[in-house]
Amino acid sequence: MSVKNRGMGGGEYTKNGMSRNMALMLCLCSFFAGMVFTNRMWTVPEGKDEDAQINLKSENYPKLNIVQHNTNDSLGSLDNRISKLEMKLTAARAEHESIARGNPKSANLKKVETNAKRKYFVVIGINTAFSSRKRRDSVRATWMPQGEKRKKLEEEKGIVMRFVIGHSLTSGGILDKAIEAEETRHGDFLRLDHVEGYLELSSKTKTYFSTAVALWDAEFYVKVDDDIHVNLAMLGTTLARHRMKPRVYIGCMKSGPVLARKGVRYHEPEYWKFGEVGNKYFRHATGQLYALSKDLATYISTNQPILHKYANEDVSLGSWLIGIDVEHVDDRRLCCGTPPDCEWKAQAGNICVASFDWKCSGICKSAERIMDVHQRCGEDKNALWSVSF
């Protein structure tokens, strides 16, 4: 017969003589003692929370040196990075579109990667047409350096010069082959993915800036007609005065009448957009010669698909810039008259940048007369090589 031991309190005892109630009490006391001890160990003294956190982090992570940058320098650096990315995007878009159309301009596109590493001062695009061979030859014989001199101009002065032309309606036809033969001889063309036509000058201008920005990273991009005379040293000196301005539009600013009557030269089919009949256009540079800073040329390139085209190319370009923060520079040396006007100014020491006849929107019969203008109004033959931009 088994016998159960009874304590004074009547509770059951374990084999070691401890009641179950007592064991339970000891467990609870140990638990609460552990909780109190743990809280005291991990509680950060009041008022030292921040220091404790910093010390804790510094034990696990290396110290960081915080550098304060000048706000203007940071913004300038950001603008430069954005401009470079935009140029790369434009180059990629131009290559993609050209390949997609099955008409890659391999001679131009091969230059993109190489020229992206080089900075240029100015790209001068001389607008020309298939029928203007004599004009091109007269320009080559007067103010446009040829051969090794033109290459030297690019390398030493950062001045790129090209005749700008697209292709005919029947691409690869006799007109295109004639240009290809001329290019083989002179190597001074920029071929555009564009169908030539007088009524397509606005479209050609957009394509020119887009292509030029993709090929050359320059401070300025200039558009020139092939029937005017230009003094390159004076052009470079004029542009250099504005090189610190981010968005500058340089030319001979005008505001001609909006011509509503059909059949007249420079008729504006969208005349109603400019208000009442007889109104004038907004200020814009005359189309014979104008210059854009890099940011503006990039803006045109980036927004090319949505820029509206008016009948007149110079009006179109002015409209693209009218709604953004642009400095318009009206410089009358970019639109001097032919002799005796430019000759008198040259004799007075005020050499013109460009000369032409207003009545012809260029030099009248330029192929025959431009040499005379060059001899009477041109700068010294060494001026271009001695000036520093």
Side-chain angles (χ1 to χ4, degrees):
M1 181 177 68
S2 63
V3 180
K4 295 182 180 179
N5 296 327
R6 301 281 182 180
M8 293 178 64
E12 293 185 358
Y13 284 78
T14 65
K15 291 181 180 180
N16 294 328
M18 182 182 292
S19 69
R20 293 179 179 176
N21 291 339
M22 184 65 72
L24 181 60
M25 289 296 293
L26 286 174
C27 289
L28 290 173
C29 289
S30 298
F31 174 77
F32 286 115
M35 290 288 291
V36 172
F37 179 79
T38 302
N39 288 338
R40 287 183 63 84
M41 288 294 293
W42 284 97
T43 301
V44 179
E46 188 174 346
K48 297 184 179 180
D49 293 3
E50 187 175 339
D51 292 338
Q53 292 176 9
I54 293 174
N55 291 334
L56 181 62
K57 292 180 180 179
S58 64
E59 292 175 2
N60 299 318
Y61 301 97
K63 293 182 179 180
L64 299 177
N65 293 324
I66 300 175
V67 180
Q68 292 184 346
H69 294 281
N70 182 277
T71 303
N72 292 333
D73 293 342
S74 298
L75 290 176
S77 177
L78 180 61
D79 286 341
N80 290 334
R81 289 197 293 270
I82 291 174
S83 295
K84 290 179 181 179
L85 289 173
E86 287 178 339
M87 288 190 62
K88 291 180 181 179
L89 176 62
T90 300
R93 183 188 294 122
E95 182 175 8
H96 175 74
E97 290 178 353
S98 183
I99 293 174
R101 291 169 182 161
N103 185 30
K105 304 297 181 183
S106 57
N108 289 336
L109 294 175
K110 287 178 181 177
K111 301 176 185 176
V112 173
E113 184 175 352
T114 302
N115 290 340
K117 302 176 183 178
R118 166 77 193 276
K119 301 289 185 180
Y120 293 89
F121 175 46
V122 57
V123 175
I124 303 173
I126 308 172
N127 183 46
T128 192
F130 289 112
S131 60
S132 299
R133 175 62 187 266
K134 290 183 178 180
R135 287 184 180 181
R136 291 191 292 273
D137 286 341
S138 68
V139 169
R140 294 183 181 115
T142 52
W143 59 271
M144 181 181 186
Q146 294 298 293
E148 292 302 317
K149 286 186 177 181
R150 183 170 58 81
K151 294 180 181 179
K152 181 181 178 182
L153 190 64
E154 292 185 14
E155 295 171 358
E156 295 186 5
K157 302 295 183 180
I159 299 177
V160 178
M161 301 180 65
R162 297 289 189 276
F163 286 107
V164 179
I165 195 168
H167 57 82
S168 64
L169 188 59
T170 55
S171 184
I174 187 171
L175 295 177
D176 294 296
K177 290 181 179 179
I179 293 297
E180 291 170 5
E182 197 174 340
E183 164 67 6
T184 301
R185 179 178 179 182
H186 297 283
D188 55 6
F189 279 93
L190 172 61
R191 300 299 302 274
L192 304 179
D193 188 9
H194 165 80
V195 178
E196 286 291 321
Y198 180 77
L199 297 179
E200 296 299 325
L201 286 179
S202 295
S203 177
K204 182 176 181 179
T205 299
K206 289 197 294 184
T207 306
Y208 159 62
F209 282 115
S210 178
T211 306
V213 166
L215 292 175
W216 297 284
D217 181 7
E219 295 181 62
F220 294 96
Y221 297 85
V222 174
K223 179 263 179 180
V224 183
D225 284 345
D226 64 0
D227 57 352
I228 73 171
H229 180 267
V230 179
N231 285 316
L232 293 176
M234 286 303 302
L235 175 60
T237 302
T238 300
L239 296 178
R241 296 192 185 103
H242 305 284
R243 69 192 322 165
M244 301 305 294
K245 301 173 181 177
R247 294 173 299 278
V248 62
Y249 173 30
I250 308 169
C252 285
M253 300 296 163
K254 65 175 184 177
S255 181
V258 180
L259 302 179
R261 188 162 61 89
K262 292 183 178 180
V264 300
R265 191 180 186 187
Y266 305 128
H267 164 63
E268 178 57 72
E270 297 181 270
Y271 63 89
W272 59 272
K273 290 185 177 181
F274 298 91
E276 301 299 326
V277 175
N279 280 358
K280 292 185 176 182
Y281 288 112
F282 41 77
R283 286 283 173 183
H284 62 278
T286 185
Q288 285 80 5
L289 186 153
Y290 52 79
L292 301 179
S293 59
K294 175 182 175 179
D295 285 358
L296 296 184
T298 303
Y299 169 81
I300 292 175
S301 175
T302 304
N303 296 283
Q304 179 182 359
I306 60 173
L307 295 177
H308 184 70
K309 297 176 294 183
Y310 289 100
N312 301 304
E313 169 251 341
D314 52 355
V315 172
S316 294
L317 187 124
S319 71
W320 302 336
L321 306 179
I322 200 71
I324 58 178
D325 188 11
V326 176
E327 179 176 348
H328 290 59
V329 176
D330 182 19
D331 193 332
R332 310 314 289 182
R333 292 174 301 172
L334 275 65
C335 54
C336 295
T338 56
D341 179 49
C342 60
E343 186 177 19
W344 290 342
K345 292 176 180 176
Q347 291 172 354
N350 187 22
I351 299 176
C352 295
V353 174
S355 303
F356 57 89
D357 298 308
W358 282 102
K359 64 180 180 180
C360 296
S361 298
I363 298 175
C364 299
K365 299 181 180 179
S366 63
E368 292 80 25
R369 294 183 57 230
I370 195 170
M371 180 59 75
D372 178 63
V373 176
H374 182 66
Q375 293 174 345
R376 299 169 65 179
C377 302
E379 59 200 357
D380 186 90
K381 63 180 181 180
N382 296 318
L384 182 59
W385 308 107
S386 60
V387 68
S388 176
F389 304 126

